[in-house]
Amino acid sequence: MDPPDWKPVLADVDGPQLVVAGPGAGKTEFLVRRAAHIVESGAAEPDELLLVSFSRRTVADLRTRLSHRLDRTTSGIPALTFHSLAMRIVEARADRLPGASPARPPTLLTGPEQVALVGDLLATEQPDRWPLAFRGLLGSPAFADEVADFLLRCREHLVDPDELERRAAARDDWDGLAAFLERYEAELRTRNRIDYGTLQSTAVMLLDEPGAAGSVTDRFRYVLVDEFQDTTVAQAALLDRLTAGHRNLTAAGDPYQSIFSFRGAALDNVARFPHQFAAPDGTPGRRIVLTTSFRVPAAILDAAVRVTAGGDLPGAAGPVVPAPGSAAVETYRFDQQSHEAEWIAGELERIHRRDRIPYARMAVLVRSKRRLLPELSRALDRRRIAHDQPDRRLVDHPAARILFDLVRAASLAGPEAERAIRRLLLGPLVGLALGSVRDLERARAAGAAWAEILESAGHPELAAIVADGGWATGRPAADGFWHVWSTLPEIVPAARRDADMRRAWASLSQVLGRLRERDPSTTLADYLRWSEEDDFEATPLLEFRAPDEDRLTLTSLHQAKGREFDVVVIADAVDGVFPDLRRRETLLQVRQLGSDRPADPAAWASFRLQEEMRLAYTAMCRARSRVVWTCTSTANETGAGTPSRFLSMLDPDGDLGAPAVDREPVTPREAEAWLLAIARDPGEPVARRLAAIAVLGSDEPWRPRPPWAVAGVLPRGADDGLVPGILELSPSQAEAYATCPRRYALERRLLVDDGAGPHAALGSLVHEVLETVEGEAIAAGRDHGRLEDALALLDERFEPGTFGGGAWAAAWHERAAGILTNLYEHWPGSGPGLTVELPVELERNGVRWRGRVDRIEEADGGVGVVDYKTSRSPATLADAAGSLQLGFYALAAANHTGRPVTAASFWYPAKLLKSGVATREFDLDRLDDVLASLDAAAAGIAAERWPATPSAACDRCSVKLVCPAWPAGREAYDR
């Protein structure tokens, strides 16, 4: 149906109707026009009309568009998310709930609160009620997070304890879950709390009770629902009960934009609508198909359809007539992620300047925020392009960090508190010079308390805050915030000076105020812990960013749903990242709660690929004029990968390559680089080269930099200021310092090389697998773990994108499997394991040494210390015999266990000898030498002595180009 045919259909408002349409075809616009018709025609009073959508943003959009349509405020028309609707029903019928009442309805649990409650309950569970494999995990935060998610999905699928018990009868791995769900719900009732999943199922249950129709369902004569393809089983049931008496329900959706199965969305809700929501007389619901897109031109729409591989979904709208106008879909490949990020940032600036497109009309979308976005954010910062920082939360804002550093300083002890106080003293709140802070830290090192030091330094209010942490740990979070605000005189002037700080503090105070209303027992220390343990953010109603700023959208593909832009860049499109087909089956296999989730692994993989295709389709259709796909597919800092299969689907005959670079400049820096390239190109005509030199040397309005500013080298800086007053080291740092102090300073203190790469990722993955498998073996009373368990866990934890995807990832996976196979088939241990990943520390001469022992096992007459190494090149016998790392572990493990250490060794399972796995032993007679070496390293680091020490290791040094011991490095410092 085309827009000219809408009018009579919009007026036919009674009965169940499903509006199905492709991207930009006007689903939301249809709902807005129908709502306006209902109000203007007098078919219902404004408060008898209900608008429902998936998120707060889409609800706000509905309200705004309806307000413009009616040319008046829409405050009298309820517009709610599903969760808000469910909460209103629960509040209206709270007298039907144990322990609650209309005056005291249950309060909502946030995600972190729910996980914390589940963790507390699991810690007190009887282990014999759970499968053997899970008994050792009952105290694990990761297991608590998984069980909390399982309970949430149960309620979204309307699975109660009885139904879960029935399903668990056929599955050994679900034993104990039904009883735990019942216990969890009883605890919620006792506390008068409710989580988001229970909220929806409770609302459905309340609407099923006698009398609900008169008090709730009859209130809304017309219900209009947007984004219906994203609804869960519980949300569809809620709509069913809400409209059972009249079925005046209009829902809009598109199965091809169903991308939230991981949140419980039921793909078949659209197909089942006509029969699930049949009219009271049994007539199936009517389908209204909108056929013309207002937004997506043919070039983009055709390409997006190709990505879906022509799949046909039940209930879909069918072919869509594209919007008029020209558009483009482009694909590019780069050799480094830094090149990809720089090109994207430069191209967006070019579009903004050349085509006058606001940054707010452009977006960069990625499948994973962890990979490209930090690099891209830095590239955008260099061009001063305002953008949404990757994963930037209110709790990460500098103003919030000041508050939470105060919380750390007042409620914690040890290095974390010391670092917090240092940040406070150097930061905008106090603003001391580095030398002044070091003077205070010397007083601290001499044994004085921080409260005493701050008092004598002229900061009595800060001293009082630090001395008494009751405001952070014993009061509601909002009260603790206002205590800080009213106590520290520096905060108000800082808020007056900086509008960004002022907005952030206003948002934070409002968030904490809402938190107190929901749960007065939550303190600032609790709030800080949640924000650190989870990707937790309580969204403020008061925005802490400048509302009128022209800001580029930088977000995930899922979060772009429901929005539209002129230009969309889909970045980091590498197989293993997008599509994301990692074998990440959850421990409890939560997907099998849904009837639309295939049980067969091959069918499940196909289901996931189809959803990834729909995600690509949805993302592309956010754009009005241009879609750009980019990827990095050769060796880089995280390995190598292959371009996403979606790129070949977009252009099967195309030659995927880098974008053209011979373009005219549009910014001063581009002009400068362009002129420099002309000036130094001997192939350019002499007159053109001289003209370029003349422009570079002139004082044009755009102000090119003088030559010495372009090619000059900064003077040599100071060698001190790298080490804090409180020294905390590890044996690996001591070994690095002993090898080359200069390299240690650059790599470990200045973080010139973060050590990231596939070799480091391999080591982390193997250690993670061994920690889990060996920990379970110790809990089960076995000498060591089993190969089959290790390989299964490796498959579960392996992320191809981390290793470059494709054949590269397959090779790294094979290498990891080989390491584990060698280890377990030729186990070199001397006895049963006692513990794994044991944190140990040693205090010596005012320096705290910390480390983590991979494995401690029984050995003749004592215990043995083991450190796994995934390198294929074992240390020499002499180096291992005097290893600082093994020596430290032997000393610290003896202190920790109270038993003598009779053996300490490196295991190299990547290296297989005729005698088995290669091992290297530490000489326990050299412990005194180890202590002397640790003391020497600590003294050199504390004194900030960083001499360069050339050796054979220089060939593998990542900072050789800036090392003064080598000619290339000397050029970095000397003119």
Side-chain angles (χ1 to χ4, degrees):
M1 184 174 63
D2 292 330
D5 305 322
W6 281 18
K7 190 171 182 179
V9 180
L10 286 168
D12 185 6
V13 297
D14 293 333
Q17 301 176 41
L18 176 66
V19 181
V20 185
K27 298 183 295 294
T28 304
E29 181 65 17
F30 186 95
L31 293 180
V32 168
R33 293 190 189 184
R34 171 159 284 184
H37 174 81
I38 291 172
V39 173
E40 291 174 334
S41 67
E45 296 298 321
D47 63 353
E48 295 177 320
L49 171 65
L50 172 64
L51 304 177
V52 186
S53 192
F54 186 67
S55 67
R56 285 190 295 267
R57 188 180 68 236
T58 53
V59 165
D61 180 53
L62 276 171
R63 191 185 295 278
T64 300
R65 290 167 70 164
L66 181 56
S67 178
H68 291 164
R69 190 82 190 174
L70 294 173
D71 196 24
R72 63 183 175 86
T73 180
T74 57
S75 58
I77 300 176
L80 307 170
T81 65
F82 277 99
H83 291 108
S84 298
L85 172 62
M87 194 66 203
R88 290 198 178 190
I89 294 170
V90 169
E91 289 173 343
R93 304 280 291 172
D95 58 320
R96 312 292 297 174
L97 301 175
S101 68
R104 188 176 172 267
T107 56
L108 269 171
L109 282 170
T110 63
E113 287 177 300
Q114 183 195 15
V115 173
L117 175 58
V118 169
D120 291 342
L121 294 177
L122 285 173
T124 58
E125 278 283 284
Q126 296 178 16
D128 58 3
R129 296 173 58 182
W130 290 79
L132 182 62
F134 298 160
R135 293 175 186 175
L137 302 177
L138 294 178
S140 163
F143 189 63
D145 187 67
E146 180 149 343
V147 172
D149 182 66
F150 187 91
L151 302 185
L152 182 66
R153 304 308 163 200
C154 279
R155 304 318 265 141
E156 286 177 345
H157 288 91
L158 298 179
V159 174
D160 60 17
D162 292 338
E163 173 64 13
L164 184 57
E165 183 72 30
R166 186 187 67 78
R167 296 192 187 190
R171 301 178 59 103
D172 293 339
D173 56 339
W174 284 4
D175 285 348
L177 283 169
F180 184 78
L181 174 58
E182 190 169 3
R183 181 186 174 203
Y184 168 74
E185 291 185 338
E187 185 65 25
L188 288 182
R189 290 191 294 271
T190 300
R191 301 187 182 198
N192 200 29
R193 305 299 299 276
I194 195 167
D195 63 44
Y196 283 102
T198 308
L199 173 66
Q200 297 176 66
S201 60
T202 300
V204 173
M205 178 268 293
L206 290 173
L207 291 183
D208 281 334
E209 290 190 348
S215 62
V216 179
T217 60
D218 286 354
R219 176 184 170 186
F220 301 114
R221 295 181 56 194
Y222 292 93
V223 179
L224 281 65
V225 181
D226 202 5
E227 305 287 1
F228 185 72
Q229 76 278 351
D230 294 325
T231 53
T232 65
V233 171
Q235 289 165 349
L238 181 62
L239 294 174
D240 178 32
R241 274 56 164 190
L242 197 64
T243 62
H246 53 72
R247 282 293 190 252
N248 294 330
L249 169 66
T250 305
D254 177 9
Y256 275 99
Q257 296 186 65
S258 177
I259 57 175
F260 288 104
S261 68
F262 64 95
R263 289 185 181 172
L267 179 62
D268 55 357
N269 274 354
V270 172
R272 293 191 294 109
F273 180 93
H275 298 286
Q276 181 177 6
F277 295 94
D281 63 359
T283 303
R286 179 159 64 112
R287 278 171 51 90
I288 301 170
V289 180
L290 309 182
T291 54
T292 303
S293 177
F294 295 114
R295 178 177 69 235
V296 190
I300 296 176
L301 187 59
D302 292 345
V305 170
R306 286 198 299 275
V307 171
T308 66
D312 186 19
L313 291 177
V320 177
V321 178
S326 60
V329 177
E330 305 160 26
T331 57
Y332 298 119
R333 180 178 62 190
F334 298 85
D335 60 351
Q336 295 183 32
Q337 278 197 344
S338 58
H339 292 172
E340 181 180 0
E342 285 293 333
W343 183 86
I344 292 171
E347 185 66 10
L348 295 177
E349 184 178 24
R350 172 178 295 273
I351 294 170
H352 176 71
R353 293 178 180 273
R354 182 192 63 203
D355 302 332
R356 304 299 181 191
I357 297 177
Y359 287 118
R361 297 293 306 164
M362 295 185 275
V364 180
L365 311 180
V366 292
R367 185 65 175 87
S368 169
K369 288 185 176 183
R370 298 179 179 180
R371 288 170 46 93
L372 180 68
L373 286 197
E375 183 76 38
L376 177 58
S377 180
R378 289 190 289 270
L380 295 169
D381 283 337
R382 285 191 288 272
R383 290 168 172 79
R384 296 181 175 85
I385 298 175
H387 60 284
D388 296 327
Q389 298 287 340
D391 290 330
R392 188 189 183 197
R393 306 172 298 167
L394 174 59
V395 293
D396 299 322
H397 190 280
R401 288 202 298 267
I402 290 174
L403 175 65
F404 292 125
D405 273 339
L406 289 167
V407 173
R408 292 183 183 97
S411 62
L412 301 177
E416 189 172 359
E418 302 293 331
R419 288 191 291 267
I421 291 179
R422 192 173 209 262
R423 287 192 296 266
L424 290 168
L425 295 174
L426 290 171
L429 197 65
V430 181
L432 292 182
L434 182 59
S436 300
V437 173
R438 285 180 176 165
D439 290 340
L440 300 182
E441 287 177 334
R442 278 191 282 272
R444 173 65 173 161
W450 270 118
E452 175 188 337
I453 296 169
L454 295 171
E455 179 79 32
S456 61
H459 302 286
E461 297 87 359
L462 182 57
I465 287 285
V466 171
D468 181 10
W471 59 271
T473 60
R475 298 190 192 181
D479 294 349
F481 172 84
W482 286 113
H483 173 74
V484 171
W485 181 271
S486 58
T487 300
L488 292 181
E490 296 89 353
I491 286 188
V492 173
R496 288 174 177 165
R497 288 192 306 269
D498 190 329
D500 187 52
M501 285 276 193
R502 186 165 59 251
R503 282 193 297 268
W505 271 318
S507 296
L508 186 58
S509 66
Q510 180 244 359
V511 164
L512 297 177
R514 291 164 63 200
L515 180 62
R516 177 173 56 186
E517 294 173 2
R518 192 171 65 247
D519 184 4
S521 67
T522 301
T523 67
L524 278 173
D526 295 330
Y527 190 86
L528 172 61
R529 186 179 68 256
W530 294 342
S531 68
E532 290 177 335
E533 292 178 353
D534 277 274
D535 184 17
F536 169 71
E537 174 73 313
T539 305
L541 298 178
L542 302 174
E543 179 57 67
F544 63 96
R545 301 176 179 93
D548 55 350
E549 188 174 31
D550 185 18
R551 179 179 292 274
L552 174 74
T553 296
L554 203 65
T555 189
S556 70
L557 293 155
H558 286 94
Q559 290 172 337
K561 176 72 180 297
R563 306 178 68 176
E564 66 175 48
F565 306 93
D566 292 329
V567 178
V568 166
V569 179
I570 300 174
D572 195 25
V574 179
D575 250 0
V577 176
F578 187 38
D580 179 6
L581 300 177
R582 289 172 291 176
R583 297 173 60 183
R584 283 180 25 177
E585 181 67 85
T586 60
L587 191 63
L588 298 175
Q589 298 191 13
V590 67
R591 68 175 171 88
Q592 297 194 23
L593 285 168
S595 60
D596 61 338
R597 307 294 194 271
D600 177 68
W604 172 238
S606 176
F607 178 93
R608 293 183 58 213
L609 176 59
Q610 290 167 8
E611 182 164 83
E612 293 288 296
M613 290 177 172
R614 296 196 298 272
L615 181 59
Y617 172 89
T618 302
M620 292 182 68
C621 293
R622 302 305 95 204
R624 284 182 171 272
S625 61
R626 186 180 178 192
V627 175
V628 180
W629 286 71
T630 66
C631 69
T632 296
S633 62
T634 57
N636 57 39
E637 60 272 17
T638 58
T642 56
S644 168
R645 67 193 71 185
F646 294 154
L647 298 178
S648 60
M649 297 168 76
L650 289 167
D651 189 5
D653 302 321
D655 180 19
L656 186 64
V661 295
D662 56 343
R663 57 192 186 189
E664 292 187 353
V666 296
T667 69
R669 288 290 176 264
E670 286 185 354
E672 183 181 88
W674 180 65
L675 291 167
L676 284 168
I678 294 173
R680 65 172 176 255
D681 185 356
E684 290 281 357
V686 173
R688 184 174 167 85
R689 295 177 69 188
L690 290 173
I693 293 171
V695 174
L696 285 168
S698 66
D699 190 19
E700 295 288 337
W702 54 274
R703 295 180 182 177
R705 291 175 293 178
W708 56 86
V710 176
V713 177
L714 292 176
R716 197 170 191 148
D719 274 357
D720 57 4
L722 305 185
V723 179
I726 305 299
L727 199 57
E728 186 175 296
L729 301 172
S730 67
S732 65
Q733 289 190 52
E735 289 185 334
Y737 183 84
T739 302
C740 179
R742 193 78 182 181
R743 181 176 179 179
Y744 166 83
L746 290 167
E747 290 185 346
R748 296 297 188 97
R749 293 291 168 178
L750 293 178
L751 304 180
V752 171
D753 178 23
D754 62 4
H759 291 89
L762 174 72
S764 298
L765 177 60
V766 170
H767 277 74
E768 182 182 339
V769 170
L770 290 175
E771 177 185 0
T772 302
V773 172
E774 291 305 306
E776 292 175 353
I778 291 171
R782 298 192 302 271
D783 283 2
H784 60 77
R786 295 183 290 239
L787 175 60
E788 58 269 25
D789 295 336
L791 294 179
L793 189 59
L794 172 66
D795 290 342
E796 179 184 326
R797 302 278 176 89
F798 188 81
E799 297 187 6
T802 303
F803 296 93
W808 292 90
W812 284 104
H813 182 278
E814 182 179 357
R815 182 168 173 178
I819 290 173
L820 295 170
T821 301
N822 287 345
L823 180 62
Y824 283 109
E825 289 185 349
H826 306 275
W827 186 259
S830 60
L834 298 175
T835 188
V836 294
E837 290 298 322
L838 176 68
V840 292
E841 62 179 54
L842 198 64
E843 191 83 28
R844 186 168 174 83
N845 298 330
V847 177
R848 178 170 294 173
W849 294 88
R850 292 178 181 269
R852 186 175 289 270
V853 183
D854 289 344
R855 174 182 176 86
I856 292 183
E857 61 183 17
E858 290 285 357
D860 292 339
V863 297
V865 171
V866 175
D867 189 70
Y868 310 126
K869 298 293 185 184
T870 53
S871 169
R872 290 173 173 170
S873 302
T876 66
L877 295 175
D879 287 345
S883 166
L884 296 185
Q885 190 175 21
L886 284 179
F888 168 78
Y889 289 160
L891 290 164
N895 286 347
H896 186 90
T897 62
R899 299 177 62 186
V901 173
T902 56
S905 57
F906 290 130
W907 289 2
Y908 292 89
K911 181 70 172 179
L912 199 60
L913 306 176
K914 290 182 179 180
S915 58
V917 169
T919 61
R920 294 291 184 267
E921 303 297 325
F922 175 74
D923 183 354
L924 292 169
D925 292 333
R926 299 180 63 177
L927 290 177
D928 289 341
D929 296 340
V930 168
L931 290 174
S933 297
L934 294 178
D935 291 344
I941 293 171
E944 301 195 80
R945 294 192 293 266
W946 316 121
T949 308
S951 69
C954 291
D955 292 339
R956 301 182 300 277
C957 179
S958 64
V959 294
K960 182 177 179 180
L961 290 178
V962 292
C963 176
W966 294 88
R970 284 194 291 272
E971 292 179 5
Y973 298 100
D974 303 325
R975 290 191 181 278

